[in-house]
Amino acid sequence: MAINTRIILICSGKGGVGKTTLTANLGIALARQGVKTAVLDADFGLRNLDLLLGLENRIVYTAQEVLEESCRLDQALVKHKQEPNLSLLPAGNPRMLEWLKPDDMQRIVSMLSEQFDYVLIDCPAGVEDGFKNAVSASKEAIVVTNPEVSAVRDADRVIGLLNTHGVKPVQLVLNRVRPQMIASQEMLSIDDVTDILALPLLGLVLEDEQVIISTNRGEPLTLSGSNSPAARCYTNIARRMQGEEIPLIDPSKEGSGVGSKLRRLMQTKIF
Amino acid sequence: MQGMEVETRFITLPSRKKADWRGYLSTKLNEIRSGQIDINCQDWPFSCRDLKQLISIIDRAGLKISIIRSEIPETIVSAAALGHETFLILTKGHKESPNRALTDLRVNKDPNILFHEGTLRSGEHLEAEGDVLLLGDVNPGAKISAGGNVMIWGRLRGIAHAGKYGDQTAKITALELRPLQLRIANEVARGPEELPEPGLTEQAELVSGKIVIQPARSRLSSPKRPN
């Protein structure tokens, strides 16, 4: 079982592009498909994966205690209340950054891989020690980026580093896509991004206000089975990770149909 | 397989000033029954199409190419693009070239052309003492620099510096030239605002102290080669 565990780093370089949101939503979506999934918050300095999953108040022990061997792994793991297939290993306190080494990270991940089918590692922003620790423990990676020049540039840098660390395969998720802005050429198009990054596109996530609402509530969108655009995108990504063939959405068709116009109307004006 | 040595046969094409290579190659191949071919293309500037023709002639004779040697960087590029092992032969003419004489001392210290396969991503920097040939893109934020020429079999969207030791004859060539910045010797230029014509290989060089971008004419097809 440990051999087949997929250890996936979710990283971006730039902050605020949606790493943690993607980690939380993919974690839930994978768990809903029945695979045992662990999400590991490797962002020790600024942890908030627990917030997004709504598990902040259940944390007793963290990765720090596990490493110090003052508790067992299963004591530190926080099971999600509605999705028992999903567990969170919370980040310890920010002071861990001073002593945490790649070896420690590898130890945690190898412990997790004995129990889970998927280990998703929420990588900190930047390319410094926190990133290096997280990379050292990962087998494959998902790079998240937005259709913005600065996010793409940072993603490119990160992909270069992933290659030198031998992380393979690396796939791309393009987050916060606004079809209308792409159509009016105010935003980088999908092709512009994949042209530079030259990675297989695992999925697009459409810009969606529901994401902000769900983040603040601590209930990832994929949890409620919501039919909002972003929720569908996240679920599709999780299914593709599981090997299902699902075509990518076409942003040029998205948001022009009557159905989606109606949906947008429902989600914005009414209620 | 088991330790059996495949015999290597050497073929040197006649210089293009003397005879056509096709006839020579065919007669030469008739004498060879087996083994692998180490072929020296001398001063023939071969495009991929030319090379494919050459390879198919050798294929039809039931032989395999082990290495392609040439004096011409462009032939090397084509051969490498077709996946063959290559070797660039440096000729005496290289040193005698009057306009390169000043800087060539430096370049010739490390006469090898540096090959690199793979895309240079943001933050990466590829440096070479002599010429550099990149099979891949230079992404925005990445940098490629060389003492001699910079040749990019891909898209240049970052920064390129040719002749970093002051060689003013150095050139920058790319299949798609849309750099952030170009530097040749001590000159710096910002990349052009407009997009290049798709499918047009372009080259940047110094013309009376200014960096100029032009469609890459094959300087090989002109009868007089500068080097």
Side-chain angles (χ1 to χ4, degrees):
Chain A
M1 188 160 162
I3 311 155
N4 297 327
T5 304
R6 289 183 66 182
I7 301 162
I8 304 173
L9 180 70
I10 297 178
C11 58
S12 69
K14 188 176 178 293
V17 297
K19 289 179 294 297
T20 309
T21 317
L22 181 72
T23 312
N25 280 291
L26 281 186
I28 297 276
L30 285 168
R32 279 170 70 95
Q33 290 174 37
V35 285
K36 292 197 58 143
T37 307
V39 286
L40 166 61
D41 194 348
D43 198 347
F44 295 96
L46 302 160
R47 68 174 213 202
N48 44 26
L49 184 56
D50 46 344
L51 278 176
L52 262 70
L53 287 165
L55 298 174
E56 192 187 14
N57 53 7
R58 296 176 174 231
I59 294 174
V60 184
Y61 297 112
T62 66
Q64 182 176 8
E65 283 82 21
V66 178
L67 276 172
E68 287 168 352
E69 295 181 2
S70 54
C71 80
R72 280 174 283 113
L73 176 66
D74 49 307
Q75 287 177 298
L77 282 173
V78 186
K79 240 189 201 144
H80 195 270
K81 35 199 173 174
Q82 282 124 299
E83 272 311 323
N85 278 331
L86 180 75
S87 296
L88 164 76
L89 182 59
N93 77 51
R95 294 246 295 283
M96 276 178 83
L97 285 172
E98 291 161 20
W99 54 265
L100 193 87
K101 291 273 169 307
D103 293 351
D104 300 320
M105 204 69 188
Q106 285 164 13
R107 249 172 68 209
I108 296 181
V109 170
S110 73
M111 281 192 263
L112 287 172
S113 62
E114 282 168 25
Q115 298 183 25
F116 294 94
D117 303 317
Y118 278 85
V119 177
L120 304 182
I121 305 175
D122 182 23
C123 183
V127 290
E128 292 82 25
D129 290 350
F131 170 78
K132 284 177 191 149
N133 288 337
V135 169
S136 71
S138 314
K139 282 187 199 155
E140 46 186 304
I142 295 175
V143 174
V144 191
T145 191
N146 295 354
E148 289 164 22
V149 178
S150 55
V152 171
R153 184 70 59 89
D154 291 359
D156 194 38
R157 177 103 186 84
V158 161
I159 296 161
L161 293 171
L162 290 170
N163 288 343
T164 55
H165 281 88
V167 176
K168 242 197 252 178
V170 181
Q171 289 172 295
L172 184 69
V173 168
L174 193 54
N175 201 8
R176 308 193 66 172
V177 175
R178 295 172 182 233
Q180 271 104 354
M181 284 184 76
I182 291 178
S184 58
Q185 299 193 328
E186 291 166 318
M187 184 176 252
L188 290 179
S189 74
I190 315 298
D191 285 344
D192 290 337
V193 177
T194 51
D195 225 31
I196 291 182
L197 299 182
L199 287 187
L201 194 56
L202 180 63
L204 307 172
V205 181
L206 298 173
E207 174 84 48
D208 186 351
E209 289 174 5
Q210 296 296 314
V211 174
I212 302 172
I213 299 168
S214 78
T215 303
N216 291 340
R217 281 196 192 140
E219 291 168 5
L221 270 182
T222 45
L223 186 64
S224 53
S226 139
N227 198 28
S228 84
R232 278 181 290 139
C233 295
Y234 286 130
T235 311
N236 283 347
I237 292 173
R239 288 167 66 185
R240 281 187 208 113
M241 285 167 75
Q242 289 275 69
E244 272 185 65
E245 296 261 344
I246 299 165
L248 286 169
I249 43 162
D250 183 354
S252 62
K253 288 187 185 119
E254 202 64 36
S256 56
V258 183
S260 63
K261 271 197 182 134
L262 229 140
R263 211 177 301 126
R264 211 177 318 126
L265 208 72
M266 300 225 309
Q267 276 165 0
T268 50
K269 299 265 167 66
I270 313 167
F271 100 82
Chain B
M1 279 291 158
Q2 298 124 351
M4 220 177 71
E5 288 254 327
V6 183
E7 205 178 341
T8 303
R9 305 298 191 119
F10 296 91
I11 296 180
T12 304
L13 299 181
S15 164
R16 71 195 177 101
K17 292 173 202 111
K18 288 178 188 150
D20 189 70
W21 61 271
R22 291 174 188 84
Y24 178 84
L25 184 63
S26 306
T27 47
K28 197 80 186 162
L29 284 173
N30 284 337
E31 301 164 13
I32 301 174
R33 290 271 155 268
S34 66
Q36 50 181 3
I37 307 293
D38 178 325
I39 188 159
N40 180 352
C41 304
Q42 292 227 65
D43 55 356
W44 284 96
F46 283 146
S47 65
C48 278
R49 199 194 300 158
D50 298 327
L51 266 185
K52 272 187 186 159
Q53 198 186 346
L54 180 141
I55 292 161
S56 76
I57 293 175
I58 294 177
D59 264 353
R60 259 180 274 141
L63 299 163
K64 283 241 175 309
I65 295 177
S66 68
I67 187 166
I68 295 176
R69 296 171 200 268
S70 172
E71 295 164 10
I72 311 292
E74 279 72 6
T75 304
I76 298 287
V77 175
S78 311
L82 293 174
H84 285 276
E85 201 179 319
T86 55
F87 185 87
L88 179 71
I89 306 162
L90 286 163
T91 52
K92 284 166 240 109
H94 213 69
K95 275 185 199 146
E96 287 157 6
S97 161
N99 50 358
R100 284 184 69 127
L102 280 174
T103 48
D104 258 6
L105 287 171
R106 185 76 198 237
V107 174
N108 278 342
K109 263 191 194 165
D110 183 6
N112 287 324
I113 186 166
L114 176 76
F115 288 104
H116 181 87
E117 196 172 347
T119 293
L120 296 187
R121 294 189 181 270
S122 173
E124 292 176 334
H125 185 184
L126 179 67
E127 276 188 283
E129 293 296 306
D131 291 348
V132 63
L133 168 60
L134 177 75
L135 301 174
D137 295 350
V138 179
N139 275 0
K143 195 174 163 187
I144 184 167
S145 60
N149 298 313
V150 173
M151 293 171 274
I152 298 162
W153 196 262
R155 289 173 291 206
L156 170 60
R157 287 186 283 202
I159 297 174
H161 190 176
K164 61 177 174 172
Y165 301 119
D167 180 357
Q168 306 210 336
T169 62
K171 293 183 179 68
I172 298 167
T173 318
L175 293 190
E176 191 181 307
L177 199 66
R178 34 193 291 208
L180 285 175
Q181 199 184 80
L182 288 174
R183 300 180 193 167
I184 296 177
N186 298 318
E187 292 300 319
V188 180
R190 271 174 293 123
E193 298 285 321
E194 68 273 17
L195 292 179
E197 215 177 291
L200 182 70
T201 306
E202 290 186 308
Q203 130 186 331
E205 60 187 313
L206 274 182
V207 176
S208 53
K210 285 249 161 59
I211 297 179
V212 176
I213 297 178
Q214 296 167 327
R217 345 159 234 106
S218 172
R219 31 184 176 134
L220 314 158
S221 49
S222 57
K224 216 174 75 189
R225 265 173 52 79
N227 46 15

